[in-house]
């Protein structure tokens, strides 16, 4: 072999191997035992009438050959229950501001069909409506989060919807519910007042929307509702801090419980690029976008702190995740994309960010649950696969409603060219039984990072762990190879007195349990 070629092949071999990082990542455990709870709702999901998210995804109808319970796929119910889905947002998204809920109740053959104007222009037959959604949430053990229509709806329509689902008194809406076969109310707590009011929800200016919000919010809470509702304002698009400032300034605190934020990790909105075929530069940029969530939450929270220093109003990140080009040959309006280890990295670092900001972030909804964007489940006919993102959500569910242990981390860098990012991200919590869980992510694809955790005098008898990793960040589960990537036992953590040493392989997510 010519010397030049030999050198080139050596270089290529090295780039495929997990090299040991030179320096350590130092993590200090808090001396106190923490006081803020990580709301389980941070691990919530989103299902819009979009592409194959609802129909084919969750719902196949009760005459389908695919095993189902009242039309909802049994395999989906089992997987989401195992993942511990805490809440599900529905029916949109952009779809929410075109949705008239009375189209989706009563006998199915009497329900009108509409055109889904945002997503592929297909016919929506309204066979999945309010009763189907709320009954499905009961099957999943998830709390429903309904997004109301402000863009093309009315105050009366939204106020009626609240009564239909939550009133136990005798009134026209609870009577209508009883006629439709449901006696007891479902008690829906979470309500979104419009979606992306600055865009598909009506292209409103923040002052105008703030006034609309005040009006809608006023008529949503009534004495006949059995539940105290949690009203969520349509929030900022990414770094539109003026939107948050205007809403916080103009909405009286007694009318609002939460304010949303939407942010997607997109390389470039005009050139999103393939979900599976990407180079390291594109991977690096996606990681940079995902880590930007920390800046966004810090800055939006700072604004909220000015008006709400006691942190009564929650920041609700009700749309987040990776967004790429649709898979070849699929309807561009269906937003169907594969899900690789890159998505597991997005999920791992983002959930760590949410955990570490749980004093303000009270809910977050990954977009979207099945067959759309960064999905946890993909379906094809009667087949179902769990994506790498699913495993991250399932591994991290130990943090749900646990107490945050604020951690200080000093990480090595993941370097590409002249840019660098923190390689390792961490969050930790203590559950109600006193068990400590630590979730770590190493986004550096080619380097093992050695993490040294200083436990600050805390004594533990044993450490166990689980890991999600694969040879390449481009790897994914397919219908032909559905279990290529799944959570495995991790033996790379060693307790050494007051220290815990963890060898984090390249592009891996690890969750440790300390007893
Ligand atoms: O999640 C897909 C779309 O992204 C939602 O409908 C909209 O709210 C956002 O722009």
């Amino acid at each position: 072999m010519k010397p030049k070629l030999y050198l080139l092949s050596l270089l290529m071999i090295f780039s495929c191997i997990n090299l040991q990082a030179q320096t350590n990542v130092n993590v200090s455990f808090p001396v106190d035992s923490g006081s803020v709870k990580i709301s389980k709702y941070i691990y919530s999901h989103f299902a819009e009438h979009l592409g194959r998210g609802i129909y084919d995804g969750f719902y196949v109808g009760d005459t389908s050959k695919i095993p189902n319970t009242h039309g909802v796929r049994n395999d989906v119910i089992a997987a989401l229950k195992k993942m511990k889905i805490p809440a599900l947002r529905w029916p949109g998204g952009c779809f929410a501001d075109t949705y008239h809920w009375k189209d989706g109740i009563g006998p199915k053959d009497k329900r009108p069909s509409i055109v889904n104007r945002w997503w592929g222009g297909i016919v929506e037959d309204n066979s999945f409506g309010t009763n189907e959604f709320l009954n499905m949430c009961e099957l999943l053990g998830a709390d429903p989060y309904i997004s109301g229509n402000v863009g093309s709806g009315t105050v009366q329509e939204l106020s009626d919807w609240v009564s239909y689902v939550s009133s136990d008194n005798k009134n026209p809406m609870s009577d209508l519910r009883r006629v439709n076969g449901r006696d007891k109310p479902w008690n829906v707590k979470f309500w979104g007042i419009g979606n992306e009011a600055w865009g598909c929800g009506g292209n409103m200016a923040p002052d105008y929307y703030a006034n609309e919000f005040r009006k809608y919010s006023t008529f949503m809470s009534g004495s006949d509702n059995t539940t105290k509702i949690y009203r969520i304002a349509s929030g900022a698009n990414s770094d539109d801090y003026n939107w948050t400032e205007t809403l916080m300034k103009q909405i009286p605190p007694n009318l609002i419980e939460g304010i949303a934020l939407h942010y997607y990790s997109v390389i470039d909105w005009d050139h999103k690029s393939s979900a599976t075929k990407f180079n390291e530069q594109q991977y690096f940029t996606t990681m940079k976008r995902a880590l930007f969530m920390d800046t966004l939450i810090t800055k939006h929270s700072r604004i909220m702190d000015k008006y709400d220093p006691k942190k009564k109003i929650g920041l609700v990140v009700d749309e987040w995740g990776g967004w790429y080009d649709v898979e070849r040959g699929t309807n561009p309006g269906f937003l169907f994309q594969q899900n690789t280890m890159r998505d597991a990295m997005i999920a791992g670092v983002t959930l760590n960010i949410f955990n570490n900001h749980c004093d303000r972030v009270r809910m977050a909804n990954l977009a979207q649950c099945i067959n759309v964007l960064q999905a946890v489940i993909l379906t094809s006919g009667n087949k179902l696969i769990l994506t790498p993102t699913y495993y991250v959500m399932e591994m991290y569910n130990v943090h749900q409603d646990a107490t945050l242990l604020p951690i200080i981390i000093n990480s090595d860098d993941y370097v590409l060219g002249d840019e660098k990012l923190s390689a390792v991200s961490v969050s930790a919590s203590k559950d109600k039984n006193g068990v400590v869980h630590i979730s770590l992510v190493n986004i550096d694809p080619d380097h093992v990072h050695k993490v040294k955790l200083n436990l600050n005098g805390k004594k533990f008898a044993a450490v166990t762990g689980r890991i999600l990793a694969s040879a390449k960040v481009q790897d994914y589960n397919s219908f032909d190879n559905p279990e290529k990537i799944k959570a495995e036992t991790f033996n790379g953590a060693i307790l050494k007195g007051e220290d815990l040493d963890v060898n984090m392989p390249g592009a891996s997510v690890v969750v440790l349990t300390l007893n």
Side-chain angles (χ1 to χ4, degrees):
M1 198 184 277
K2 289 188 180 145
K4 249 191 181 169
L5 264 180
Y6 176 71
L7 263 177
L8 196 69
S9 35
L10 256 186
L11 264 176
M12 281 168 68
I13 291 167
F14 271 121
S15 66
C16 298
I17 293 176
N18 262 244
L19 300 171
Q20 192 87 5
Q22 296 305 303
T23 53
N24 286 331
V25 178
N26 293 308
V27 178
S28 288
F29 231 61
V31 182
D32 66 59
S33 53
S35 56
V36 189
K37 196 166 90 170
I38 298 173
S39 169
K40 67 176 178 179
Y41 296 116
I42 282 177
Y43 292 83
S44 298
H45 290 262
F46 171 33
E48 180 167 10
H49 284 242
L50 193 177
R52 297 173 48 247
I54 298 289
Y55 305 110
D56 260 12
F58 282 97
Y59 190 73
V60 285
D62 52 13
T63 55
S64 171
K65 287 205 174 78
I66 298 172
N68 68 82
T69 305
H70 308 306
V72 183
R73 294 178 68 125
N74 289 346
D75 50 3
V76 162
I77 297 171
L80 294 181
K81 279 178 91 160
K82 182 157 190 246
M83 192 187 74
K84 292 199 179 148
I85 180 172
L88 186 61
R89 177 176 183 246
W90 172 86
C94 295
F95 182 79
D97 283 290
T98 63
Y99 185 62
H100 300 283
W101 68 272
K102 285 179 187 160
D103 291 349
I105 55 168
K108 295 204 180 191
D109 58 349
K110 301 261 169 4
R111 298 184 191 179
S113 289
I114 58 163
V115 170
N116 190 332
R117 54 171 289 175
W118 290 112
W119 306 116
I122 54 150
V123 173
E124 160 66 60
D125 69 0
N126 278 306
S127 56
F128 187 89
T130 300
N131 290 48
E132 288 77 18
F133 172 65
L134 295 176
N135 291 339
M136 180 175 90
C137 285
E138 288 184 340
L139 291 172
L140 296 172
D143 287 344
Y145 166 12
I146 294 183
S147 290
N149 180 348
V150 170
S152 69
T154 64
V155 173
Q156 183 69 52
E157 196 180 356
L158 187 49
S159 147
D160 280 352
W161 205 359
V162 178
S163 295
Y164 182 85
V165 303
S166 290
S167 171
D168 211 5
N169 293 343
K170 186 167 168 44
N171 60 45
M173 288 305 116
S174 60
D175 281 350
L176 186 57
R177 184 186 70 232
R178 289 182 193 103
V179 168
N180 289 332
R182 173 80 185 200
D183 184 23
K184 285 281 153 217
W186 288 277
N187 299 330
V188 178
K189 180 175 176 191
F190 299 109
W191 289 88
I193 301 188
N195 169 74
E196 299 196 347
W198 40 263
C200 63
N203 283 309
M204 301 177 211
D207 303 79
Y208 181 83
Y209 173 70
N211 276 323
E212 285 291 283
F213 180 92
R214 292 163 66 130
K215 192 169 63 177
Y216 274 78
S217 175
T218 303
F219 291 98
M220 283 173 73
S221 48
S223 54
D224 65 342
N225 299 325
T226 48
T227 317
K228 170 140 183 36
I229 61 173
Y230 190 100
R231 294 156 297 184
I232 300 162
S234 165
N237 177 17
S238 177
D239 58 355
D240 183 356
Y241 302 113
N242 179 49
W243 186 274
T244 302
E245 179 102 40
T246 308
L247 265 47
M248 290 301 294
K249 200 190 294 177
Q250 297 189 5
I251 299 173
N254 62 320
L255 291 179
I256 183 168
E257 283 77 30
I259 186 163
L261 167 67
H262 285 185
Y263 175 67
Y264 287 95
S265 304
V266 183
I267 292 178
D268 173 350
W269 282 103
D270 294 326
H271 303 98
K272 294 191 209 75
S273 83
S274 161
T276 52
K277 296 181 188 69
F278 51 90
N279 59 32
E280 190 170 355
Q281 183 57 59
Q282 289 167 319
Y283 170 75
F284 185 94
T285 306
T286 310
M287 291 303 105
K288 188 157 91 179
R289 300 279 188 269
L291 291 167
F292 184 61
M293 183 67 90
D294 192 51
T295 306
L296 281 177
I297 292 178
T298 304
K299 291 192 175 172
H300 283 289
S301 300
R302 206 172 287 150
I303 293 164
M304 294 176 77
D305 286 350
K306 268 203 303 186
Y307 300 92
D308 174 34
K310 293 202 172 137
K311 301 184 193 292
K312 290 195 170 142
I313 300 172
L315 184 59
V316 175
V317 190
D318 56 14
E319 286 186 31
W320 67 273
W323 191 325
Y324 316 105
D325 288 341
V326 298
E327 292 304 316
R328 195 178 287 238
T330 64
N331 186 328
F334 282 14
L335 309 186
F336 176 74
Q337 63 191 40
Q338 247 298 354
N339 193 292
T340 65
M341 280 303 294
R342 170 171 64 172
D343 296 282
M345 298 295 110
I346 297 178
V349 298
T350 307
L351 292 170
N352 280 343
I353 292 168
F354 292 156
N355 286 348
N356 288 326
H357 284 279
C358 65
D359 59 335
R360 186 59 88 175
V361 179
R362 306 281 160 69
M363 186 193 271
N365 306 71
L366 177 64
Q368 298 193 9
C369 198
I370 308 181
N371 293 333
V372 176
L373 298 176
Q374 190 175 340
V376 292
I377 289 174
L378 302 177
T379 64
S380 171
N382 63 359
K383 292 187 183 161
L384 170 147
I385 51 177
L386 305 175
T387 65
T389 302
Y390 173 93
Y391 288 104
V392 176
M393 281 280 178
E394 188 260 323
M395 288 161 72
Y396 273 54
N397 70 23
V398 290
H399 290 306
Q400 291 189 15
D401 282 344
T403 304
L404 177 77
L405 296 173
I407 254 178
I408 300 164
I409 178 164
N410 182 6
S411 170
D412 290 342
D413 292 324
Y414 161 33
V415 182
L416 187 70
D418 52 9
E419 286 196 286
K420 56 185 186 189
L421 298 168
S422 285
V424 177
S425 106
V426 175
S427 69
S429 68
K430 190 198 267 191
D431 72 14
K432 59 179 186 322
N433 302 316
V435 179
V436 169
H437 293 103
I438 307 172
S439 45
L440 305 107
V441 185
N442 174 14
I443 59 169
D444 190 339
D446 298 324
H447 291 97
V448 175
H449 283 268
K450 288 173 70 179
V451 179
K452 190 169 266 312
L453 274 123
N454 173 356
L455 298 172
N456 265 326
K458 302 257 177 340
K459 296 262 182 295
F460 295 97
V463 58
T464 54
R466 295 172 76 203
I467 183 168
L468 192 76
S470 195
K472 291 186 286 150
V473 281
Q474 291 85 357
D475 285 348
Y476 57 90
N477 290 335
S478 65
F479 291 100
D480 296 330
N481 193 359
E483 297 203 358
K484 182 179 175 69
I485 304 165
K486 58 182 181 181
E488 312 270 5
T489 303
F490 178 65
N491 296 315
I494 299 160
L495 266 173
K496 282 189 187 156
E498 287 195 7
D499 283 342
L500 177 65
D501 289 346
V502 191
N503 272 334
M504 289 290 297
S508 65
V509 179
V510 165
V511 176
L512 300 174
T513 302
L514 287 160
N515 284 294

